[in-house]
Amino acid sequence: MLLEFLNSKIHRATVTDSNLNYVGSITIDEDIKGIAGDAFEGSCVEEVIVKSKSISIGPKAFCESDLKKISFKHKNAVKFIGHGAFKKTDLVKFDCMSFDVEVEIGIFASCRVLEEVAWPARTLPERTFIHCSQLRNLDIRNI
């Protein structure tokens, strides 16, 4: 198996395990303020846990990755989500308790297994859910 890791820079990361056979999750520490565009594009990462109290997710940050789950430990943590950030991922559910998030177009485009979104979004830009054929529950009221 060949894994490409120098897709982008991960600054001030702490390595907590060195199991070469582990494919799975990444925890974004409280000190991290942003996930760069293309940071995990095409990666094998399946779960991301965001502990940061204020985070920006760059364009195509997880595009075409194996991402199935992303969780945010703090309410109002997300400040920005760039275009195509989760495009063509395996996300099934997106639960984000952040108000006033700046969102660019097509953040969930072609997420063919996305079933549920709970997010108190005030606006959703064009093509947010284009080709999300399994989307069954969209809860965007002020929670």
Side-chain angles (χ1 to χ4, degrees):
M1 175 190 287
L2 177 65
L3 298 176
E4 181 181 324
F5 284 99
L6 297 176
N7 211 13
S8 61
K9 180 179 177 183
I10 300 175
H11 183 67
R12 298 178 67 195
T14 302
V15 177
T16 58
D17 193 4
S18 62
N19 181 348
L20 295 177
N21 298 314
Y22 179 76
V23 176
S25 67
I26 291 179
T27 300
I28 307 295
D29 196 42
E30 291 180 5
D31 296 333
I32 306 297
K33 300 296 180 204
I35 300 170
D38 306 323
F40 297 100
E41 182 177 8
S43 73
C44 296
V45 174
E46 294 181 1
E47 180 180 8
V48 175
I49 301 161
V50 180
K51 291 184 175 180
S52 178
K53 293 180 182 176
S54 177
I55 191 118
S56 293
I57 301 171
K60 297 185 178 178
F62 297 97
C63 181
E64 297 186 36
S65 71
D66 293 340
L67 185 66
K68 292 175 175 47
K69 181 179 179 182
I70 185 166
S71 56
F72 304 96
K73 297 299 177 188
H74 296 283
K75 187 175 181 180
N76 292 321
V78 182
K79 304 303 177 196
F80 171 81
I81 302 175
H83 69 87
F86 303 105
K87 183 179 180 178
K88 294 185 180 178
T89 62
D90 294 329
L91 270 176
V92 175
K93 180 180 179 183
F94 184 80
D95 193 351
C96 178
M97 295 294 101
S98 293
F99 295 88
D100 297 323
V101 180
E102 181 183 344
V103 180
E104 293 185 342
I105 65 171
I107 61 171
F108 299 111
S110 299
C111 287
R112 298 197 188 273
V113 296
L114 183 63
E115 296 177 358
E116 184 177 345
V117 174
W119 184 13
R122 298 202 195 311
T123 61
L124 293 172
E126 61 186 275
R127 299 193 312 257
T128 298
F129 300 108
I130 191 167
H131 303 300
C132 294
S133 56
Q134 297 300 312
L135 188 60
R136 301 288 183 256
N137 187 10
L138 177 60
D139 185 354
I140 57 172
R141 54 197 162 121
N142 292 337
I143 299 172

